Amino acid sequence: MVVKASDASSMKKNKTMKTKGELKLKGPAKQKRKKTDNEETSETEPKTLKKQKVQAEPEEQVENLEEELTPEEKRVAERKMKKMLKKEEKMRKREEGIGEDKKEDQSKAAERALEYLNCWSEKRSEWRFKKIRQTWLLQHMYDPEKVSDASFSIMLLYLENLRGVARDVTVQKAEAMIKEDKGDPSQTADDQKRIHRALEVVRLLAVD
């Protein structure tokens, strides 16, 4: 039986259409399944862990750097840190106006200053200059409640050796006290004694 070319072409076309129809009839395409909460959580967990790992890396790097330092480098770093802390503490004290004398109890400061003065007078070989003690004496020598008459007499001898800025400032302070005195009859005995001491200091130090 001879098949015509037209019939063969028609049969091939019908076969192709049949195949497409069978594929279509096999069922609809698979629908995309919706992810459950557990699946979404499991997918986000690796990202979170990765982020935490990235954040932890700088700390690990610092630790690694510390481990890489030699003992000598570590000692140098510690010395630098201590120096910086000491400098910051000094600056803080300066800003707050805290000096060595202010840290001391006032009664102890007075006692130590007077001991310093007596040591200068009686035990010169053991005496050592201390600016903090001299400063206290220069500030309070006019006050008879803090410096007795006997101690003030020693102080006058001590002032004879006073030099430089300390001498000039002492004279200026004594002169200012005298100028402020207006001979008020209501002055107490201590006030009058302060002025009298200031006059003695000026007579002793204000000499060209």
Side-chain angles (χ1 to χ4, degrees):
M1 179 176 162
V2 179
V3 180
K4 295 181 180 180
S6 59
D7 293 339
S9 177
S10 179
M11 289 175 65
K12 187 176 181 180
K13 186 177 181 180
N14 292 335
K15 188 176 180 180
T16 303
M17 292 177 65
K18 184 179 179 181
T19 303
K20 289 182 179 179
E22 287 177 354
L23 291 173
K24 189 174 182 181
L25 291 172
K26 282 183 180 181
K30 292 182 180 179
Q31 294 180 356
K32 191 175 181 180
R33 186 164 56 88
K34 188 177 181 180
K35 294 179 182 179
T36 62
D37 294 339
N38 292 334
E39 289 175 335
E40 289 179 355
T41 304
S42 63
E43 287 184 2
T44 55
E45 283 178 354
K47 294 180 181 178
T48 305
L49 291 173
K50 186 176 180 181
K51 186 176 181 181
Q52 291 176 351
K53 186 177 180 182
V54 171
Q55 291 176 346
E57 283 180 357
E59 296 178 0
E60 293 175 358
Q61 290 174 0
V62 172
E63 292 177 359
N64 293 334
L65 285 173
E66 291 179 352
E67 291 175 358
E68 291 173 2
L69 291 175
T70 63
E72 180 62 27
E73 289 173 337
K74 285 182 179 179
R75 284 194 291 271
V76 172
E78 288 175 0
R79 284 197 295 269
K80 286 182 178 180
M81 182 60 67
K82 287 180 181 178
K83 191 174 181 180
M84 288 175 63
L85 292 174
K86 189 174 181 181
K87 188 176 181 180
E88 290 176 0
E89 180 69 11
K90 189 175 180 181
M91 289 178 67
R92 183 184 66 80
K93 287 181 179 180
R94 186 181 297 173
E95 289 174 357
E96 294 177 359
I98 300 176
E100 292 181 30
D101 55 336
K102 292 187 179 180
K103 291 168 66 176
E104 289 183 322
D105 181 79
Q106 290 298 318
S107 60
K108 289 182 179 179
E111 182 180 347
R112 290 172 183 172
L114 294 173
E115 286 176 357
Y116 167 83
L117 184 63
N118 290 328
C119 182
W120 174 85
S121 176
E122 300 171 4
K123 302 176 182 178
R124 192 70 60 88
S125 60
E126 299 177 9
W127 176 84
R128 294 291 181 275
F129 174 74
K130 293 182 180 179
K131 186 175 181 180
I132 185 174
R133 308 301 174 212
Q134 176 177 288
T135 300
W136 189 94
L137 289 167
L138 293 175
Q139 288 177 347
H140 300 94
M141 64 182 176
Y142 305 102
D143 189 345
E145 292 184 358
K146 295 180 179 178
V147 179
S148 66
D149 290 341
S151 294
F152 182 74
S153 297
I154 299 173
M155 190 64 193
L156 289 175
L157 296 174
Y158 181 89
L159 291 176
E160 289 179 358
N161 298 315
L162 198 63
R163 297 289 182 271
V165 176
R167 185 185 184 98
D168 296 338
V169 171
T170 301
V171 172
Q172 290 171 6
K173 183 176 180 180
E175 289 176 343
M177 291 176 65
I178 295 168
K179 288 178 181 178
E180 289 176 2
D181 177 45
K182 297 179 180 179
D184 189 347
S186 62
Q187 283 182 337
T188 63
D190 286 346
D191 290 335
Q192 292 174 3
K193 186 167 286 189
R194 287 189 183 91
I195 300 303
H196 178 71
R197 288 185 177 185
L199 287 168
E200 289 191 75
V201 170
V202 170
R203 280 197 293 266
L204 176 67
L205 299 181
V207 178
D208 295 335

